[in-house]
Amino acid sequence: MEWKRMKIGMLCYWNYGGSAVVAAELGKQLADRGHQVHFISAERPFRLDEYHPNTFVHQTGDFSYPVFSSPPFFLLQVNKILEVVKDHQLDLLHAHYAIPHCLSAIFARHIMGNNIPIITTLHGTDITLVGQNKEFYQITKYGLEHSDMLTAVSKWLALETQRVFKLKDPPSVIYNFLDSNYFNRRSDEGLRRSYAADHEKIVIHISNFRSVKNVPDVINIFHLINESLPSQLILVGDGPDMTMVREKVTELNLNSRVHFLGQQQDVVPLLSVSDLLLLPSRRESFGLVALEALACGVPVVASNVGGLPEVVANGITGLLADCGDPRAMAQLSIKILSDDSLWQKISWAARQSAENFFNADRWVNHYEEIYYSLLAGKK
């Protein structure tokens, strides 16, 4: 059946984080399929860095006035939604992250007095951290119950959402995905040698350096790895815990072995020269960086929490351990890094998992099917 091309409003945060990345990647995939995708965001979303004739970015306005202690982003976003829906005749709105995006979409729809469909995709901390806070619980619950469709990025998050907000049914699960043609291991001996000698292993960690990512444990784990195997650690990202992490590196006398690279738009070259990804998070609803590592053939050692076991198959594409046990994670890391045949086996399985199960076409098809079902129900 030939479906019409849609005009989709994509509401998302713009900054360094999984929800912005997924929104941008979904938008690019939909644009390649001929749909118009209109991003409504405070700034251009992270990783939406290339021109495409079917993608548009509409930045929310800014307004300062003495009665406002800060710009009223929610109201500005609602106004921008009203403007974009009217000017571009959007077919539906897709909110990534519950607060405030699904609420602003619902409020805008109420003002317009129409029945434009709203799909809300939950990414994790919008449910596990922000949404559960008593200051936001009731409005988050309202937003979930008044969205036309809820999706979550893992089974764990779907069930957690249903439990916390006492929903009749859990959200539909649509896993995060990636373009496995782009996320692929690329040989670059020059880059590798700029970080490590030939006999050394390269361990990598990528995150927003928030408390939930447990980055100090990355340093503790690496310290134990390095005592057994000569290694170098690459840290990608920045955030609130960076000062604590730098202090830990100095305390353990690892300054010559840890490379702080800050935020990076393109992590494929760095993953391609890495031998292992460490992800000792306290909570992960999916773990997008783990998937990106798998696609580049990088084994993952991670916490056995949240949705991570749905991404990292324990003993197949990586190894999982209890969160807060750096010694156990170090032992698992050494096991992989010291056995070339085991590393090759896990690396191959990691790539196959990313390419076959988490490929973009599979999961973008699911989003398209939801869009069309919502539009069909609107008629």
Side-chain angles (χ1 to χ4, degrees), residues 116-131:
I116 185 170
I118 296 170
I119 173 176
T120 297
T121 293
L122 308 172
H123 289 269
T125 52
D126 47 351
I127 296 303
T128 61
L129 183 63
V130 178

Side-chain angles (χ1 to χ4, degrees), residues 318-335:
L319 295 173
L320 303 175
D322 291 339
C323 179
D325 191 345
R327 188 163 296 278
M329 286 196 179
Q331 290 171 347
L332 294 177
S333 301
I334 293 166
K335 178 180 179 180

